[in-house]
Amino acid sequence: MKLIDFTRQPKTPGFLQQYVERLPVWLPFWFSDQIAHQRLVARLQRELDNHFFLLKNLPLGNSPELVPYILIGPPGLVVLNVNTQKGMYRARDESWWEMSKTSRRYQPAGHNLIRQTMSLVQRLQGFLERQSFSNPTAILPVLLFTNPGVYVETSRPAVRIVLADGLRNLITNLVQGDEVLSPNQIRALTDLFDRAARPEQVQDVLAEEEDFFGKDLIQPEEKPAPKAPMPVPQLNLPPVLE
């Protein structure tokens, strides 16, 4: 699997950046969420072949919200909404309930993860429609939990819910699924998202092509500088000969 990371890296000096990158290794408990994401990406890279592309933190349009993970492969498009927290939940249709630690009863969660996942899919579908890209298949929304300490009671949830021990089953379904997108369509989709996420690079490429193919060909022809007259030699001659 090929990873395309659109995460904006902060501009920090080189020696500081090296220490920042080493912090998750030195302080794993403080960076447990980041480590969980890294392990998930590493596992997908290990178990999915090069027909799959994983887009990370993709910006779409003018919205500050990023699409965390979009998996593009022969079975189609998959939006992965990854959650690293633990707890006990209940999913029914579009409702999302969380068990209270005090009353030990389910109550509506403050943040509906099912609707959040559906919102990501709707944004992606709207973007493809605005780009006039014919999507041959529906986008699969997946709410993925990486923490093994999660229990979800489900009843016809609006999105697919995958627990930590079900990731292997999800990968198997993707590898053995029917081919919906051809290699050319997969490449066209990744190029489309790349141009949308990094328009400044597209402008730089166009400017370079214009300089190469246009400006060099229409520059006026330089005329040679006029030759200076040859100096008259000064000879030490008698007045008559001079």
Side-chain angles (χ1 to χ4, degrees):
M1 186 199 73
K2 301 177 182 179
L3 173 65
I4 305 178
D5 193 351
F6 296 99
T7 305
R8 299 284 184 175
Q9 299 295 337
K11 296 182 180 179
T12 56
F15 67 94
L16 287 180
Q17 183 65 26
Q18 295 179 3
Y19 286 104
V20 171
E21 293 176 353
R22 297 293 298 175
L23 284 178
V25 180
W26 296 336
L27 304 171
F29 295 102
W30 288 5
F31 295 87
S32 58
D33 293 350
Q34 180 179 348
I35 294 175
H37 282 268
Q38 292 175 351
R39 290 177 177 174
L40 171 64
V41 173
R43 182 171 180 181
L44 293 176
Q45 287 181 313
R46 184 172 62 252
E47 300 190 20
L48 294 176
D49 56 28
N50 288 334
H51 293 93
F52 289 86
F53 288 80
L54 182 66
L55 312 184
K56 180 180 179 182
N57 291 331
L58 175 69
L60 288 180
N62 298 324
S63 175
E65 185 180 5
L66 304 177
V67 182
Y69 295 102
I70 299 177
L71 187 62
I72 307 175
L77 282 80
V78 181
V79 172
L80 297 175
N81 187 14
V82 180
N83 190 283
T84 59
Q85 299 178 355
K86 65 179 181 179
M88 301 183 67
Y89 305 96
R90 174 183 291 171
R92 291 184 177 178
D93 298 326
E94 296 184 12
S95 62
W96 184 251
W97 301 66
E98 182 179 7
M99 178 172 287
S100 174
K101 296 180 180 180
T102 56
S103 64
R104 306 301 298 176
R105 293 182 177 180
Y106 286 107
Q107 59 185 14
H111 190 59
N112 192 322
L113 297 180
I114 291 182
R115 291 183 179 176
Q116 180 191 49
T117 308
M118 296 175 61
S119 176
L120 294 174
V121 173
Q122 292 171 359
R123 287 180 53 206
L124 185 59
Q125 289 176 336
F127 170 80
L128 293 176
E129 292 176 358
R130 291 192 298 272
Q131 299 297 324
S132 299
F133 189 91
S134 57
N135 185 20
T137 180
I139 303 173
L140 175 63
V142 176
L143 176 56
L144 175 62
F145 292 92
T146 59
N147 195 317
V150 172
Y151 170 79
V152 181
E153 177 185 326
T154 60
S155 177
R156 302 183 306 275
V159 302
R160 179 170 179 176
I161 299 178
V162 178
L163 304 184
D165 57 357
L167 180 58
R168 177 59 185 172
N169 188 32
L170 174 63
I171 294 176
T172 302
N173 292 339
L174 293 174
V175 173
Q176 299 179 357
D178 297 334
E179 181 175 337
V180 177
L181 296 178
S182 65
N184 291 335
Q185 290 175 317
I186 294 174
R187 174 60 65 179
L189 271 173
T190 54
D191 292 344
L192 176 64
F193 289 132
D194 188 65
R195 290 194 302 269
R198 294 185 279 216
E200 66 279 358
Q201 294 187 4
V202 177
Q203 295 297 329
D204 294 341
V205 172
L206 293 178
E208 292 177 0
E209 291 179 352
E210 181 182 358
D211 292 339
F212 183 78
F213 292 104
K215 293 183 178 180
D216 293 343
L217 299 179
I218 61 175
Q219 287 182 352
E221 182 181 359
E222 296 183 359
K223 297 181 179 180
K227 297 182 179 180
M230 296 183 61
V232 179
Q234 300 294 328
L235 303 177
N236 189 11
L237 299 176
V240 176
L241 296 178
E242 185 177 356

Short mmCIF file of all heavy atoms in Angstrom, two decimals, residues 53-81:
data_model
loop_
_atom_site.label_atom_id
_atom_site.label_comp_id
_atom_site.label_asym_id
_atom_site.label_seq_id
_atom_site.Cartn_x
_atom_site.Cartn_y
_atom_site.Cartn_z
N PHE A 53 -4.14 2.82 -2.16
CA PHE A 53 -3.56 4.10 -1.76
C PHE A 53 -4.29 4.56 -0.50
O PHE A 53 -5.52 4.50 -0.43
CB PHE A 53 -3.72 5.15 -2.86
CG PHE A 53 -2.84 4.93 -4.06
CD1 PHE A 53 -3.20 4.01 -5.03
CD2 PHE A 53 -1.65 5.63 -4.21
CE1 PHE A 53 -2.40 3.80 -6.14
CE2 PHE A 53 -0.85 5.42 -5.31
CZ PHE A 53 -1.22 4.50 -6.28
N LEU A 54 -3.53 5.05 0.47
CA LEU A 54 -4.11 5.60 1.69
C LEU A 54 -3.78 7.09 1.75
O LEU A 54 -2.61 7.48 1.83
CB LEU A 54 -3.57 4.89 2.93
CG LEU A 54 -4.15 5.37 4.27
CD1 LEU A 54 -5.64 5.04 4.35
CD2 LEU A 54 -3.41 4.73 5.44
N LEU A 55 -4.81 7.92 1.70
CA LEU A 55 -4.65 9.37 1.80
C LEU A 55 -4.91 9.78 3.25
O LEU A 55 -5.97 9.47 3.81
CB LEU A 55 -5.60 10.10 0.86
CG LEU A 55 -5.67 9.58 -0.59
CD1 LEU A 55 -6.58 10.47 -1.41
CD2 LEU A 55 -4.29 9.51 -1.20
N LYS A 56 -3.97 10.49 3.84
CA LYS A 56 -4.06 10.86 5.25
C LYS A 56 -4.21 12.37 5.39
O LYS A 56 -3.48 13.13 4.76
CB LYS A 56 -2.81 10.39 6.01
CG LYS A 56 -2.82 10.72 7.49
CD LYS A 56 -1.55 10.21 8.16
CE LYS A 56 -1.52 10.56 9.63
NZ LYS A 56 -0.27 10.11 10.29
N ASN A 57 -5.19 12.79 6.22
CA ASN A 57 -5.44 14.20 6.52
C ASN A 57 -5.61 15.02 5.25
O ASN A 57 -4.91 16.01 5.00
CB ASN A 57 -4.30 14.78 7.37
CG ASN A 57 -4.29 14.20 8.78
OD1 ASN A 57 -5.33 13.82 9.32
ND2 ASN A 57 -3.13 14.14 9.39
N LEU A 58 -6.56 14.59 4.44
CA LEU A 58 -6.82 15.26 3.17
C LEU A 58 -7.72 16.47 3.37
O LEU A 58 -8.83 16.33 3.90
CB LEU A 58 -7.49 14.28 2.19
CG LEU A 58 -7.92 14.86 0.85
CD1 LEU A 58 -6.70 15.23 0.01
CD2 LEU A 58 -8.81 13.88 0.09
N PRO A 59 -7.30 17.67 2.98
CA PRO A 59 -8.19 18.84 3.03
C PRO A 59 -9.07 18.88 1.78
O PRO A 59 -8.60 18.64 0.67
CB PRO A 59 -7.21 20.02 3.08
CG PRO A 59 -6.00 19.52 2.35
CD PRO A 59 -5.93 18.04 2.59
N LEU A 60 -10.35 19.21 1.98
CA LEU A 60 -11.28 19.32 0.86
C LEU A 60 -11.95 20.69 0.91
O LEU A 60 -12.62 21.02 1.90
CB LEU A 60 -12.35 18.22 0.93
CG LEU A 60 -11.89 16.80 0.59
CD1 LEU A 60 -13.06 15.83 0.71
CD2 LEU A 60 -11.31 16.74 -0.81
N GLY A 61 -11.75 21.46 -0.13
CA GLY A 61 -12.39 22.77 -0.20
C GLY A 61 -11.81 23.72 0.84
O GLY A 61 -10.65 23.65 1.23
N ASN A 62 -12.68 24.65 1.30
CA ASN A 62 -12.25 25.66 2.26
C ASN A 62 -12.52 25.27 3.70
O ASN A 62 -12.32 26.07 4.61
CB ASN A 62 -12.98 26.99 1.96
CG ASN A 62 -12.65 27.52 0.57
OD1 ASN A 62 -11.51 27.38 0.11
ND2 ASN A 62 -13.62 28.13 -0.08
N SER A 63 -12.99 24.06 3.94
CA SER A 63 -13.31 23.61 5.29
C SER A 63 -12.01 23.32 6.05
O SER A 63 -11.11 22.67 5.52
CB SER A 63 -14.20 22.37 5.26
OG SER A 63 -14.40 21.88 6.57
N PRO A 64 -11.90 23.79 7.32
CA PRO A 64 -10.70 23.47 8.10
C PRO A 64 -10.65 22.02 8.55
O PRO A 64 -9.58 21.54 8.94
CB PRO A 64 -10.81 24.41 9.30
CG PRO A 64 -12.29 24.65 9.45
CD PRO A 64 -12.85 24.65 8.06
N GLU A 65 -11.78 21.30 8.48
CA GLU A 65 -11.81 19.91 8.90
C GLU A 65 -11.18 19.02 7.84
O GLU A 65 -11.47 19.13 6.65
CB GLU A 65 -13.25 19.47 9.17
CG GLU A 65 -13.37 18.06 9.74
CD GLU A 65 -14.81 17.66 9.99
OE1 GLU A 65 -15.71 18.45 9.63
OE2 GLU A 65 -15.03 16.57 10.54
N LEU A 66 -10.30 18.14 8.28
CA LEU A 66 -9.60 17.24 7.38
C LEU A 66 -10.29 15.88 7.36
O LEU A 66 -10.91 15.47 8.33
CB LEU A 66 -8.14 17.07 7.82
CG LEU A 66 -7.32 18.35 7.97
CD1 LEU A 66 -5.92 18.02 8.47
CD2 LEU A 66 -7.23 19.11 6.65
N VAL A 67 -10.17 15.20 6.24
CA VAL A 67 -10.63 13.81 6.15
C VAL A 67 -9.49 12.93 6.64
O VAL A 67 -8.43 12.90 6.00
CB VAL A 67 -11.03 13.44 4.72
CG1 VAL A 67 -11.54 12.01 4.67
CG2 VAL A 67 -12.10 14.40 4.21
N PRO A 68 -9.64 12.25 7.78
CA PRO A 68 -8.49 11.56 8.39
C PRO A 68 -7.86 10.52 7.48
O PRO A 68 -6.64 10.54 7.26
CB PRO A 68 -9.08 10.95 9.67
CG PRO A 68 -10.56 10.91 9.45
CD PRO A 68 -10.88 12.06 8.55
N TYR A 69 -8.67 9.59 6.94
CA TYR A 69 -8.12 8.53 6.10
C TYR A 69 -9.11 8.20 4.99
O TYR A 69 -10.29 7.97 5.26
CB TYR A 69 -7.84 7.26 6.91
CG TYR A 69 -6.77 7.41 7.98
CD1 TYR A 69 -7.13 7.56 9.31
CD2 TYR A 69 -5.42 7.40 7.65
CE1 TYR A 69 -6.16 7.71 10.29
CE2 TYR A 69 -4.45 7.55 8.62
CZ TYR A 69 -4.83 7.70 9.94
OH TYR A 69 -3.87 7.85 10.91
N ILE A 70 -8.58 8.15 3.76
CA ILE A 70 -9.35 7.68 2.61
C ILE A 70 -8.54 6.57 1.96
O ILE A 70 -7.40 6.77 1.53
CB ILE A 70 -9.61 8.80 1.59
CG1 ILE A 70 -10.41 9.94 2.23
CG2 ILE A 70 -10.35 8.26 0.38
CD1 ILE A 70 -10.64 11.11 1.29
N LEU A 71 -9.12 5.40 1.90
CA LEU A 71 -8.47 4.24 1.30
C LEU A 71 -9.06 4.02 -0.09
O LEU A 71 -10.27 3.86 -0.24
CB LEU A 71 -8.67 3.00 2.17
CG LEU A 71 -7.91 1.74 1.76
CD1 LEU A 71 -6.40 1.98 1.82
CD2 LEU A 71 -8.30 0.56 2.65
N ILE A 72 -8.20 4.05 -1.10
CA ILE A 72 -8.62 3.89 -2.48
C ILE A 72 -7.98 2.61 -3.02
O ILE A 72 -6.76 2.43 -2.93
CB ILE A 72 -8.20 5.09 -3.35
CG1 ILE A 72 -8.68 6.39 -2.74
CG2 ILE A 72 -8.73 4.94 -4.77
CD1 ILE A 72 -8.21 7.62 -3.47
N GLY A 73 -8.80 1.73 -3.56
CA GLY A 73 -8.28 0.47 -4.09
C GLY A 73 -9.26 -0.15 -5.05
O GLY A 73 -10.31 0.44 -5.38
N PRO A 74 -8.99 -1.34 -5.52
CA PRO A 74 -9.90 -2.01 -6.46
C PRO A 74 -11.33 -2.15 -5.94
O PRO A 74 -12.27 -2.02 -6.73
CB PRO A 74 -9.23 -3.38 -6.66
CG PRO A 74 -7.79 -3.13 -6.40
CD PRO A 74 -7.73 -2.10 -5.32
N PRO A 75 -11.58 -2.38 -4.62
CA PRO A 75 -12.98 -2.49 -4.17
C PRO A 75 -13.71 -1.15 -4.13
O PRO A 75 -14.94 -1.15 -3.95
CB PRO A 75 -12.85 -3.06 -2.74
CG PRO A 75 -11.49 -3.62 -2.66
CD PRO A 75 -10.65 -2.76 -3.55
N GLY A 76 -13.01 -0.03 -4.29
CA GLY A 76 -13.66 1.28 -4.26
C GLY A 76 -13.02 2.20 -3.24
O GLY A 76 -11.82 2.09 -2.94
N LEU A 77 -13.84 3.11 -2.70
CA LEU A 77 -13.37 4.09 -1.74
C LEU A 77 -13.88 3.74 -0.35
O LEU A 77 -15.05 3.38 -0.19
CB LEU A 77 -13.83 5.51 -2.10
CG LEU A 77 -13.07 6.22 -3.22
CD1 LEU A 77 -13.56 5.74 -4.58
CD2 LEU A 77 -13.25 7.73 -3.12
N VAL A 78 -13.01 3.88 0.64
CA VAL A 78 -13.36 3.62 2.03
C VAL A 78 -12.90 4.80 2.86
O VAL A 78 -11.74 5.21 2.79
CB VAL A 78 -12.70 2.32 2.56
CG1 VAL A 78 -13.11 2.07 4.00
CG2 VAL A 78 -13.07 1.14 1.68
N VAL A 79 -13.82 5.39 3.63
CA VAL A 79 -13.49 6.46 4.57
C VAL A 79 -13.33 5.84 5.94
O VAL A 79 -14.26 5.23 6.47
CB VAL A 79 -14.57 7.56 4.57
CG1 VAL A 79 -14.30 8.55 5.69
CG2 VAL A 79 -14.60 8.28 3.24
N LEU A 80 -12.15 5.99 6.53
CA LEU A 80 -11.85 5.44 7.84
C LEU A 80 -11.87 6.56 8.87
O LEU A 80 -11.02 7.46 8.83
CB LEU A 80 -10.48 4.75 7.84
CG LEU A 80 -10.30 3.54 6.93
CD1 LEU A 80 -8.85 3.08 6.96
CD2 LEU A 80 -11.23 2.42 7.32
N ASN A 81 -12.84 6.51 9.77
CA ASN A 81 -12.88 7.43 10.90
C ASN A 81 -12.31 6.68 12.10
O ASN A 81 -12.98 5.85 12.71
CB ASN A 81 -14.32 7.89 11.16
CG ASN A 81 -14.38 8.98 12.22
OD1 ASN A 81 -13.36 9.59 12.58
ND2 ASN A 81 -15.57 9.24 12.73
#
